[in-house]
């Protein structure tokens, strides 16, 4: 074995070590997020205090304190605080978040985010060393795609946090799915470092696959927020109709953003990335023209990429139409993301074609 081959093998081993290390740190973050939700469920006082001290310009400003004078005595009226949906109304503020206004819950939430950042950096190092071990982009098979996809998905979440978006409630479902994704990657999809098949030797690999990974990560964030919207919407509907949700549902769902906020967030996320998905398909067609001499051949991967595009286009059109806002559009969004998932997992594993690079 020559020196270069030994170096590449050592880099591949280092990549595997970093991926497993990232999984360990993600596991710690997972428990920290759970602890944040647990402490947040204990503090109705904390949630009320958070509502009373809402900063100026917040979506749900702090309620005013009124003074009633009775004769020569001034009496302060207790302010009306809304910390959950009330029966007969849907005009509710966003929930306080996973920590529920509890200081200890907020502390664990910050610890969870810090651990997420650390795990992200370690996993990024694992992806980078995988690329160095084969001296190419680390997207030649499903294992490499999975570890890169999970890294980008966490990166999208951390970017939203850095932009001061109210998305910390996304942390627990995100990290849960990231651990599942990496678990499948290292046990089922793992493929030893190897060189690309001839068709993938192109600069279009960097353009087409990188945008596909980014689109998938953002679509995932949109799908999670859409799913949570459906739960929160059902919760608000039940309260508005005079029903009494279960204790667990109340504890969790009352801390999420309002259904209208989740609906708007998922729509904006999907709408923002849809043009990039369109570019991804066009770039893939151009690459196919260079590699196979034809731009479009209705290969299974091409077909399902187009089906995914149609599904998201239908969702965005329906969402922009007044009669299709809300749950109907949300179902379309989940169907569209299901098409994306099948395009990745189903087509790669179960359907043969020119895009069969699963490596499993």
């Amino acid at each position: 074995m020559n020196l270069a081959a030994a170096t590449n093998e050592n880099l591949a081993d280092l990549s595997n070590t970093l991926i497993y290390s990232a999984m360990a740190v993600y596991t710690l973050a997972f428990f920290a997020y759970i602890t944040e939700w647990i402490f947040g469920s204990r503090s109705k006082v904390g949630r009320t205090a958070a509502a009373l001290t809402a900063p100026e310009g917040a979506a749900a400003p702090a309620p005013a304190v009124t003074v009633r004078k009775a004769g020569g005595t001034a009496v302060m009226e207790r302010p009306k605080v809304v910390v959950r949906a009330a029966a007969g109304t849907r005009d509710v503020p966003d929930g306080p978040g996973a920590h529920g206004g509890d200081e200890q819950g907020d502390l664990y939430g910050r610890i969870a985010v810090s651990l997420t950042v650390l795990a992200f950096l370690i996993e990024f190092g694992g992806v980078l060393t995988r690329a160095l071990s084969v001296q190419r982009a680390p997207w030649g098979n499903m294992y490499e795609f999975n570890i890169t996809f999970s890294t980008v998905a966490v990166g999208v979440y951390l970017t939203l946090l850095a932009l001061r978006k109210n998305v910390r409630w996304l942390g627990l479902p995100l990290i849960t799915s990231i651990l599942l994704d990496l678990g499948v990657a290292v046990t089922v999809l793992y493929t030893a470092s190897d060189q690309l098949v001839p068709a993938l030797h192109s600069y279009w690999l960097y353009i087409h696959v990188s945008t596909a990974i980014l689109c998938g990560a953002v679509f995932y964030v949109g799908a999670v927020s859409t799913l949570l919207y459906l739960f929160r919407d059902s919760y608000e509907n039940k309260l508005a109709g005079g029903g009494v949700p279960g204790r667990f549902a109340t504890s969790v769902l009352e801390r999420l953003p309002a259904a209208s906020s989740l609906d708007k967030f998922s729509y904006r996320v999907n709408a923002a990335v849809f043009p990039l998905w369109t570019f991804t398909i066009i770039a893939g067609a151009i690459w196919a023209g260079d590699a196979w001499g034809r731009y479009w051949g209705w290969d299974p991967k091409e077909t399902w990429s187009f089906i995914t595009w149609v599904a998201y286009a239908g969702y965005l059109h329906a969402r922009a139409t007044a009669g299709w806002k809300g749950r109907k559009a949300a179902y379309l969004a989940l169907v569209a993301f299901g098409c994306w998932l099948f395009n990745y997992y189903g087509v790669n594993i179960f359907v043969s074609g020119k895009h069969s690079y699963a490596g499993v």
Side-chain angles (χ1 to χ4, degrees), residues 59-60 80 82 84-94 232 236 240 258 260:
K80 182 179 180 181
V82 180
R84 63 181 65 177
T89 180
R90 291 298 303 275
D91 185 17
V92 296
D94 289 342
R232 172 77 188 205
E236 292 181 6
S260 59

Side-chain angles (χ1 to χ4, degrees), residues 242-283:
V244 180
R247 183 174 180 181
F248 176 78
T250 298
S251 174
V252 172
L253 296 175
E254 72 176 0
R255 286 179 275 162
L256 291 174
S260 59
S261 297
L262 289 169
D263 183 37
K264 188 180 301 181
F265 175 76
S266 60
Y267 170 66
R268 288 177 175 176
V269 165
N270 288 321
V273 80
F274 180 73
L276 187 60
W277 180 247
T278 304
F279 170 79
T280 300
I281 296 176
I282 295 173

